[in-house]
Coordinates of all heavy atoms in Angstrom, one line a residue:
I768 N -20.9 -18.8 -8.5 CA -19.7 -19.1 -9.2 C -19.9 -20.4 -9.9 O -19.6 -20.6 -11.1 CB -18.5 -19.1 -8.3 CG1 -18.1 -17.7 -8.0 CG2 -17.3 -19.9 -9.0 CD1 -16.9 -17.5 -7.0
D860 N 2.7 -5.7 -12.7 CA 3.8 -6.5 -12.1 C 4.0 -7.9 -12.7 O 4.9 -8.6 -12.4 CB 3.6 -6.6 -10.6 CG 2.3 -7.1 -10.1 OD1 1.7 -8.0 -10.8 OD2 1.7 -6.6 -9.1
G861 N 3.0 -8.4 -13.4 CA 3.1 -9.7 -14.0 C 2.8 -10.9 -13.1 O 3.0 -12.0 -13.4
H863 N 0.0 -12.1 -11.8 CA -1.1 -13.0 -12.2 C -0.7 -14.1 -13.1 O -1.1 -15.2 -13.0 CB -2.3 -12.2 -12.8 CG -3.1 -11.3 -11.9 ND1 -3.7 -11.9 -10.8 CD2 -3.4 -10.0 -11.8 CE1 -4.4 -11.0 -10.1 NE2 -4.2 -9.8 -10.7
P911 N 9.3 2.5 -20.7 CA 8.5 1.4 -20.1 C 7.2 1.3 -20.9 O 6.6 2.4 -21.3 CB 8.2 1.9 -18.7 CG 9.3 2.9 -18.4 CD 9.6 3.6 -19.7
A932 N -17.1 -7.2 -18.9 CA -17.8 -6.7 -17.8 C -19.3 -6.7 -18.1 O -20.1 -7.1 -17.2 CB -17.4 -5.3 -17.5

Side-chain angles (χ1 to χ4, degrees):
I768 284 175
D860 55 37
H863 285 303

